[in-house]
Amino acid sequence: MKIVLGPSSRELGEKIVELTGFQKVPVASRVFPDGESYIRLEASVKDEHVAIVQTTCMPQDSNLMQLAFLANAAKRNGATKVTAVVPYLAYARQDKIFLEGENISVETVAAMLKAAGIDQLITVNVHAESVLTIFPFPAQTFSAIPLLAEYFVKKGHKKAFALAPDKGAMHIAQQAQTVLGGEAGNLEKQRDRHTGQTSQTGKHLNVKGETVIIFDDIISTGGTIVGAARILKEQGAAHIYTACVHGLLVGDAEKRILNAGIEEIVATDSVPSKNSKVTLAPLISQALKAL
Ligand code: R5P
């Protein structure tokens, strides 16, 4: 297997090369003055199974197009099989029709990737596992939550309370709990489908005087985490941290979260930023070696 270093995940790709010992395929990329993307594979992929490491966080549309271009280039240059390693899978949250007249975004993404030549997909903490069945080729998701929880154990927070900000994330909090060895619980979140606004409520949790880590798959605007922090403070939590797999952190999300009294934001390199304190390289390397 060879690892294609997609422009949006170059550093992660290099780490995977280091851990797996697979050869790398560097990529030349640039953006034309009109905004269109250009890519070129800079090593041979002839008769190879290639894994293209390319996340599709912001700017989602151009990162997706680059992924499709890389797959097309790989097939045109003789690759026998193309596995897309997409740590953050864009558009996965629009996986069904919520309101009449909508589309299913991830269905279009899946068809586009198939047409580009992708044969298989590996992603991390996809928002809902049912999304994987939409892809017309094998698609797998792996969880980075144990790696995030280990980060906190190493920092001395063994036995911290693992909190899910809504019921849907409770399985995530439970995975963290397995590593942390403390308690786990969840809040409730309601979303207005027309405005997108969310509100949260919290039953009594055993957090008075405790260290609490809020775990979620995605932090986007930070509204969910800020709402959770408010409830935790009302219930007397002593220290609050937050961990997510995909730290999109749009606009002033980071500032809002820190202003809400959260002591640290920890994310993975599925969305490269200064908050990417946990690398997905060991998780993805293991998955690739098992193929
Ligand atoms: C939604 O259900 C997700 O798991 C996250 O809770 C959500 O995407 C976070 O969004 P925001 O940071 O904008 O509240």
Side-chain angles (χ1 to χ4, degrees):
M1 178 181 280
K2 284 193 174 180
I3 307 293
V4 176
L5 305 177
S8 66
S9 290
R10 197 166 278 139
E11 270 183 45
L12 175 58
E14 293 274 15
K15 286 181 185 157
I16 293 170
V17 166
E18 223 174 281
L19 286 180
T20 56
F22 294 145
Q23 279 180 20
K24 65 179 169 192
V25 179
V27 172
S29 69
R30 64 193 161 96
V31 177
F32 290 111
D34 60 0
E36 291 184 357
S37 293
Y38 166 90
I39 59 91
R40 188 170 62 84
L41 303 178
E42 294 192 306
S44 169
V45 293
K46 193 162 167 32
D47 299 327
E48 297 281 352
H49 175 183
V50 299
I52 302 171
V53 186
Q54 168 84 351
T55 200
T56 55
C57 60
M58 301 83 72
Q60 287 89 334
D61 297 354
S62 43
N63 285 336
L64 268 171
M65 286 312 290
Q66 283 181 350
L67 173 60
F69 293 167
L70 288 167
N72 179 276
K75 281 281 168 77
R76 284 194 167 276
N77 286 280
T80 49
K81 187 169 181 183
V82 175
T83 295
V85 176
V86 187
Y88 174 70
L89 183 62
Y91 294 110
R93 282 176 288 179
Q94 184 71 23
D95 59 342
K96 51 175 90 75
I97 304 277
F98 298 97
L99 295 176
E100 198 184 336
E102 288 179 348
N103 70 316
I104 299 180
S105 307
V106 71
E107 195 173 72
T108 306
V109 168
M112 178 180 112
L113 297 185
K114 169 84 181 159
I118 288 168
D119 302 299
Q120 178 167 238
L121 175 89
I122 286 179
T123 187
V124 179
N125 289 93
V126 70
H127 187 59
E129 291 202 11
S130 52
V131 163
L132 301 175
T133 62
I134 294 175
F135 285 80
F137 44 71
Q140 287 175 275
T141 185
F142 294 88
S143 179
I145 297 299
L147 291 175
L148 287 166
E150 277 161 24
Y151 173 92
F152 285 97
V153 170
K154 281 188 197 134
K155 285 211 126 185
H157 300 304
K158 195 146 182 64
K159 302 274 181 219
F161 190 106
L163 183 86
D166 55 42
K167 225 190 218 153
M170 189 54 193
H171 69 286
I172 284 179
Q174 282 164 340
Q175 285 175 26
Q177 180 189 28
T178 309
V179 176
L180 291 166
E183 284 189 55
N186 69 276
L187 302 175
E188 301 282 346
K189 185 167 83 175
Q190 299 79 32
R191 184 181 296 274
D192 182 318
R193 285 281 162 208
H194 290 275
T195 64
Q197 288 292 330
T198 58
S199 60
Q200 275 157 290
T201 46
K203 54 190 176 201
H204 176 74
L205 297 162
N206 216 3
V207 295
K208 196 168 168 47
E210 297 294 328
T211 294
V212 182
I213 307 165
I214 311 168
F215 285 89
D216 210 348
D217 57 343
I218 301 171
I219 300 180
S220 181
T221 65
T224 302
I225 301 300
V226 169
R230 181 183 46 80
I231 295 170
L232 288 171
K233 290 219 150 168
E234 281 165 11
Q235 298 197 13
H239 299 282
I240 310 172
Y241 299 87
T242 189
C244 66
V245 180
H246 311 297
L248 299 176
L249 293 159
V250 299
D252 63 351
E254 184 177 340
K255 200 164 139 204
R256 288 177 65 209
I257 292 170
L258 296 175
N259 285 346
I262 291 187
E263 295 179 33
E264 188 180 359
I265 304 168
V266 179
T268 76
D269 47 4
S270 76
V271 182
S273 81
K274 70 176 185 345
N275 297 299
S276 305
K277 298 170 188 171
V278 171
T279 179
L280 296 172
L283 187 71
I284 292 170
S285 299
Q286 210 180 1
L288 290 176
K289 280 179 159 176
L291 289 180

